[in-house]
Amino acid sequence: MKMKGKELFVFWKNISLVVLGTIVLAFGAAIFIVPMNIVCGGVSGLAIVIDKLIPIEIITVDVIVFVLTWVLFFIGLFVLGKSFAAKTLISTIIYPVALSIFMRLADPNIL
């Protein structure tokens, strides 16, 4: 099925908003949630808890987020189907990468 005109614009607008929202979420997590060890739920909160339970220097919060995100993506793919996977693949790729970049760029003494 080929998209034309307005459908193509809406498609790229939605993709852009998903990317922007994912980057904003990763920025907020890297600047506020992870440095303050705020367990607010979701993958980032679970990663903070796991990081505190398994104090290994190599296994950091961003690595745990990366692993958990992909594990949950594949569970969603098998349970919810291909439509789910197509809609969440972009966030699954961008969030762990953006979180890792922002965590490395952020100075923990800012706050």
Side-chain angles (χ1 to χ4, degrees), residues 33-49:
I33 295 172
V34 175
M36 299 298 163
N37 292 317
I38 300 171
V39 180
C40 60
V43 174
S44 297
L46 187 57
I48 291 169
V49 171

Side-chain angles (χ1 to χ4, degrees), residues 99-111:
L99 179 68
S100 184
I101 290 169
F102 289 134
M103 283 180 65
R104 281 161 178 66
L105 291 177
D107 180 12
N109 297 319
I110 290 175
L111 304 174

Side-chain angles (χ1 to χ4, degrees), residues 27-96:
F27 178 79
I31 298 299
F32 300 109
I33 295 172
V34 175
M36 299 298 163
N37 292 317
I38 300 171
V39 180
C40 60
V43 174
S44 297
L46 187 57
I48 291 169
V49 171
I50 292 171
D51 184 53
K52 295 303 173 195
L53 292 175
I54 306 171
I56 300 173
E57 195 170 317
I58 297 172
I59 303 175
T60 58
V61 172
D62 56 330
V63 172
I64 297 168
V65 165
F66 179 83
V67 171
L68 288 176
T69 302
W70 281 100
V71 167
L72 291 172
F73 173 77
F74 284 113
I75 290 171
L77 173 64
F78 292 119
V79 173
L80 300 173
K82 292 179 184 176
S83 175
F84 164 82
K87 293 175 184 175
T88 59
L89 182 61
I90 294 168
S91 289
T92 302
I93 293 169
I94 293 174
Y95 181 71

